Amino acid sequence: NTVVMYHDNVDAYVAEGLASYLATARVGGVTAKFKTINGVTAANITPTELNELHKDNGFSYVRKMGVLQTTEGMTTSGEYIDVVLSSYFIKFRMEEEAMQLAINTPKIPYSNEGIAMLVGIADNVLKQATNQGIILIEEGKARYEINYTTREEASVVDVANRVYNGVEWVATLAGAIHTGQLNGTLKY
């Protein structure tokens, strides 16, 4: 959750500008690299200093190919900012939808029908995450799966204590391309 963004001008507020851009963008639909922050000039940083900053998962703001832009979008843990925000989106949306189900349903029965309601929450949020650009789509299909245990597979103790932890999902991140190379040959 920690981001280190370098700029030699303390009044540049480039990190705050990037944060406000990301806060208003569709979670999962943007990356933090290549972003121009209005009103901010390039940082005074050498390529060697920038490489060292990148090694420590920090980033800066430079002019590259004539365009002012963020140089990366990493957290200090080494994870990309958009991935962290995407994981929070999924977590909080699932919590919110589960709470709405609990509030708006007289009772979530400890039955296969009640379990299906919880599976439906996971499916709904993962579909939202797919539409946001968080989860990979291949051949027109979102790359996630949801597994769950049935009422018959639940322990008697869990049923008696009204605890159900049987929904598990796994999804493949769509990710983003930050570097690459296009190869070709001119021929006569």
Side-chain angles (χ1 to χ4, degrees):
N1 291 329
T2 303
V3 174
V4 173
M5 190 170 186
Y6 170 79
H7 200 291
D8 59 302
N9 179 355
V10 296
D11 294 325
Y13 299 109
V14 66
E16 293 84 354
L18 178 61
S20 65
Y21 170 82
L22 294 173
T24 58
R26 185 176 57 135
V27 175
V30 298
T31 177
K33 188 173 183 179
F34 310 115
K35 300 302 172 260
T36 299
I37 310 303
N38 290 334
V40 178
T41 59
N44 184 18
I45 187 169
T46 68
T48 301
E49 292 168 333
L50 185 60
N51 285 334
E52 287 301 311
L53 186 60
H54 286 172
K55 284 181 191 176
D56 291 329
N57 298 319
F59 59 107
S60 191
Y61 193 68
V62 300
R63 182 177 299 280
K64 186 173 182 180
M65 298 184 81
V67 178
L68 289 167
Q69 58 189 277
T70 55
T71 64
E72 259 310 334
M74 306 286 282
T75 64
T76 55
S77 70
E79 188 58 85
Y80 289 98
I81 295 169
D82 58 294
V83 172
V84 172
L85 293 175
S86 295
S87 68
Y88 281 138
F89 174 86
I90 293 170
K91 177 185 187 309
F92 296 144
R93 290 294 299 139
M94 285 199 187
E95 288 176 358
E96 180 182 3
E97 289 204 18
M99 180 55 71
Q100 288 299 317
L101 177 66
I103 290 169
N104 295 317
T105 304
K107 176 172 104 172
I108 303 170
Y110 210 123
S111 64
N112 289 329
E113 289 80 15
I115 291 167
M117 292 175 180
L118 299 174
V119 171
I121 287 170
D123 188 50
N124 185 43
V125 172
L126 294 174
K127 282 178 182 170
Q128 289 175 29
T130 300
N131 291 335
Q132 297 265 132
I134 297 169
I135 295 175
L136 180 65
I137 299 174
E138 286 186 324
E139 298 175 10
K141 185 171 178 355
R143 293 291 309 270
Y144 70 83
E145 65 179 60
I146 303 168
N147 297 303
Y148 59 93
T149 56
T150 63
R151 160 68 188 241
E152 295 76 24
E153 296 167 317
S155 75
V156 174
V157 172
D158 282 349
V159 174
N161 290 324
R162 299 181 174 200
V163 173
Y164 179 78
N165 295 319
V167 177
E168 292 187 22
W169 58 269
V170 62
T172 302
L173 283 167
I177 297 172
H178 279 194
T179 62
Q181 186 172 326
L182 305 174
N183 299 305
T185 304
L186 281 174
K187 295 173 77 175
Y188 284 97

